[in-house]
Amino acid sequence: MKKNDFGGLFIAFEGLDGSGSSTQVNLLADKLKEEGYSAFVTKEPTNNIIGGLIRGQLTHDWSSSMECLQLLYAADRAHHLHREIIPALKNNKIMISDRYFFSTVAFGSLELDTKWLMMLNEKFPQPDITFLIKVPPKECVRRMQASRFELELFEQEQKLVKVWQTYHWLSGQFKNVYVLDGMQSRAQITGEVFEITKRFLRRRDIQREENLLNLKKK
C-alpha cells in the first residue's frame, strides 16, 4: 500500500462487529474537536451507491459471489478515497474511518485467497494509524445478539474466530497498527487511543484551529 503523503492524518478503526470500534471512532472525533482540531468521521461501506449494494448483500437482500462482493468493496473504497478522504487530507484535516481495508481482507479471507484480497487494495493509501480493537468472538456475538434483531452475513462465532486470526496476521504486516484490549472500560480504551493519536499529531505538525479553540473557550 502507499504511504499517506497528502498532509493530514488518516486514522482507521478495525475490529470484529460488536468490538466497540464505532463507539471509539466517535469518541476520538469528539475529543479531537474539544482540543481544537478539525476531525471528520467517515465509514466503510459508505452510504453511496456502491456501499448500498454491499449493505444489501450483507443483510441478505440480494446475493452474488464473494468475488463480486470484494470487487464492490474495492470500488467503494476507491470512490470513498477520491471523493472524501484524500481531499480532506490534502487540506490538512484529520480523517477517522470506521473500517478500512483490514476489514475486507479479514472477512473476505473466509472464502477467498488473502493474496488476491491484498492485491485489490495495494494501490490505496495506508492509514497513518490503525487501531485494532480485540474482543473475543464469543463476547462479540453476545453483544450483537443483545442489540440486534438479526445477525448479518459474517456474524457467527466460528466465522469470527477465523476473521480475527486474519486481523491478527494483518497487524503484523503493517506499521503503526495498535492492538487494543477491547475488554477494558470504554474510558480506558479512549484514553489509550487519544495518547497514541497525540504523538502522531505532533509528528505531522497538525495545528489546532483558532475558531475551534475559541468555541471551546466559550
Side-chain angles (χ1 to χ4, degrees):
M1 299 191 79
K2 300 189 298 184
K3 182 182 177 182
N4 168 28
D5 290 322
F6 299 111
L9 188 67
F10 184 18
I11 304 169
F13 280 78
E14 306 277 11
L16 299 175
D17 292 336
S19 65
S21 57
S22 298
T23 298
Q24 292 300 327
V25 164
N26 290 301
L27 288 171
L28 176 60
D30 290 344
K31 181 65 175 174
L32 288 168
K33 290 173 184 177
E34 287 176 8
E35 295 294 320
Y37 291 102
S38 184
F40 298 89
V41 169
T42 188
K43 64 180 178 179
E44 293 190 357
T46 69
N47 288 325
N48 294 315
I49 295 172
I50 305 172
L53 289 171
I54 294 169
R55 292 182 189 282
Q57 181 155 346
L58 294 178
T59 55
H60 313 287
D61 291 332
W62 74 288
S63 64
S64 68
S65 68
M66 287 297 104
E67 288 85 355
C68 178
L69 179 61
Q70 290 301 322
L71 290 168
L72 286 171
Y73 270 117
D76 189 45
R77 181 161 300 124
H79 183 255
H80 189 201
L81 286 161
H82 174 74
R83 183 77 178 268
E84 186 175 353
I85 295 176
I86 290 175
L89 294 176
K90 285 181 175 178
N91 284 317
N92 214 36
K93 308 300 184 184
I94 303 168
M95 288 299 296
I96 309 170
S97 185
D98 184 356
R99 298 194 181 284
Y100 191 55
F101 83 97
F102 268 30
S103 286
T104 50
V105 174
F107 284 93
S109 69
L110 287 169
E111 297 188 31
L112 300 173
D113 178 65
T114 304
K115 289 183 180 179
W116 181 72
L117 294 166
M118 296 286 281
M119 180 272 294
L120 287 180
N121 291 277
E122 66 183 3
K123 299 297 184 181
F124 298 140
Q126 181 184 344
D128 299 294
I129 314 170
T130 298
F131 292 113
L132 176 56
I133 301 181
K134 181 179 181 180
V135 174
K138 184 182 290 294
E139 173 63 15
C140 286
V141 171
R142 186 196 68 76
R143 293 179 183 182
M144 287 187 287
Q145 288 175 334
S147 61
R148 302 184 190 179
F149 176 73
E150 182 181 10
L151 298 186
E152 293 183 356
L153 182 62
F154 299 118
E155 297 173 343
Q156 300 167 17
E157 186 179 344
Q158 288 182 330
K159 289 182 178 181
L160 293 182
V161 169
K162 187 175 188 302
V163 170
W164 177 256
Q165 290 171 348
T166 305
Y167 268 131
H168 181 71
W169 174 77
L170 285 166
S171 70
Q173 305 303 306
F174 296 91
K175 293 181 179 180
N176 302 325
V177 180
Y178 297 87
V179 182
L180 306 177
D181 180 3
M183 298 300 285
Q184 299 179 94
S185 71
R186 182 180 297 179
Q188 286 175 310
I189 299 169
T190 304
E192 286 186 32
V193 165
F194 188 61
E195 287 303 313
I196 293 167
T197 301
K198 283 197 298 185
R199 296 204 299 267
F200 282 82
L201 289 171
R202 288 193 290 268
R203 292 178 198 172
R204 282 294 175 95
D205 194 30
I206 294 178
Q207 302 296 314
R208 293 185 288 181
E209 298 191 3
E210 288 299 324
N211 60 326
L212 294 177
L213 284 170
N214 290 335
L215 285 174
K216 180 184 174 184
K217 290 175 183 177
K218 291 180 182 180

